[in-house]
Amino acid sequence: AVQWLAGSQPLLVNRQHPVASDFAPADLVNLSEYCDSSLVKIKYDGTQGVREAADALLRMLEAAKTDGITNWQVSAAYRSYADQQRIFDNKVKSFQNNNPDWSLSRCRSAASVTVADPGASEHHTGLAFDITVAGTIFKGTEQQIWLHKHCWDYGFIIRYQEDKEDITGFLAECWHIRYVGLPHSTEMRDRNLCLEEYLGEA
């Protein structure tokens, strides 16, 4: 069985369905070496992703290039449990530093609105990519508009959408795409379902 599917359904990772601290995806590739640098810039050397998702990403960006849309960047992909723990702890610390009268639990709650708790991040799967344009805010760019229109045809979903925040538990992230494979992605688009709704977990 393919690791990103639980049975025949896409793997759900969120606060209610965390991965174990020793979870590691199979078939990770180094995106800096694997991806055509004329198609996409990998922001951090050593960034990894699952091969099948990386292949779908390259097919998608090749199509974007045909449409005249280039200048893509991957700013995040696979993160280990320890990576996510560090990111979460840093966010908590910044809330503590900026709000000295806040309790630790309040700082942790505030942090978890924008940063997933360790185990609850889709980046653990190696199937999620943060897509950006270097040096600019992604929202409203021609790349963002193209991505939101076309990613579904390549097995990706816009995982955190504005009208689904109450269900996903995360603020909308126009840059975060998640590989679920076809036909799951197109079915979710056509029925306007987030992953939780699609899997009956909403």
Side-chain angles (χ1 to χ4, degrees):
V2 183
Q3 194 179 13
W4 54 268
L5 294 174
S8 62
Q9 296 292 350
L11 181 67
L12 177 62
V13 177
N14 59 20
R15 290 190 183 93
Q16 289 71 44
H17 300 86
V19 299
S21 58
D22 61 353
F23 175 88
D27 210 14
L28 284 172
V29 293
N30 181 335
L31 297 176
S32 308
E33 297 167 2
Y34 195 77
C35 296
D36 178 347
S37 60
S38 73
L39 273 185
V40 61
K41 177 179 190 275
I42 309 301
K43 186 172 183 181
Y44 300 109
D45 261 357
T47 299
Q48 296 178 293
V50 169
R51 183 186 306 271
E52 185 172 340
D55 288 341
L57 178 73
L58 292 172
R59 279 195 301 277
M60 178 175 75
L61 297 184
E62 195 68 65
K65 187 179 180 182
T66 303
D67 286 350
I69 310 290
T70 56
N71 202 23
W72 302 91
Q73 177 174 265
V74 171
S75 55
Y78 170 65
R79 278 187 211 136
S80 70
Y81 197 92
D83 291 338
Q84 191 66 30
Q85 183 76 58
R86 192 175 60 250
I87 291 166
F88 186 79
D89 291 347
N90 287 343
K91 193 71 171 176
V92 171
K93 276 195 195 86
S94 85
F95 276 109
Q96 289 176 309
N97 293 339
N98 295 324
N99 307 279
D101 53 334
W102 284 18
S103 67
L104 176 61
S105 67
R106 184 171 179 189
C107 291
R108 292 180 70 85
S109 293
S112 69
V113 174
T114 54
V115 177
D117 310 72
S121 170
E122 284 211 322
H123 287 289
H124 294 314
T125 65
L127 303 168
F129 300 105
D130 287 352
I131 303 289
T132 53
V133 176
T136 189
I137 296 200
F138 189 60
K139 191 170 187 175
T141 59
E142 60 179 7
Q143 290 86 351
Q144 183 254 309
I145 292 161
W146 190 96
L147 184 72
H148 282 226
K149 186 174 180 188
H150 297 285
C151 72
W152 318 87
D153 297 322
Y154 298 89
F156 290 98
I157 59 173
I158 304 298
R159 180 67 175 93
Y160 304 116
Q161 299 192 57
E162 284 176 19
D163 60 344
K164 304 291 185 183
E165 291 178 343
D166 290 350
I167 302 168
T168 63
F170 286 98
L171 293 175
E173 293 186 350
C174 65
W175 57 84
H176 179 109
I177 59 171
R178 158 72 195 277
Y179 184 70
V180 293
L182 291 161
H184 302 294
S185 55
T186 50
E187 197 169 321
M188 288 164 70
R189 173 196 62 199
D190 296 345
R191 294 168 58 198
N192 186 28
L193 300 176
C194 66
L195 188 56
E196 284 81 359
E197 292 171 312
Y198 183 68
L199 296 175
E201 295 283 347

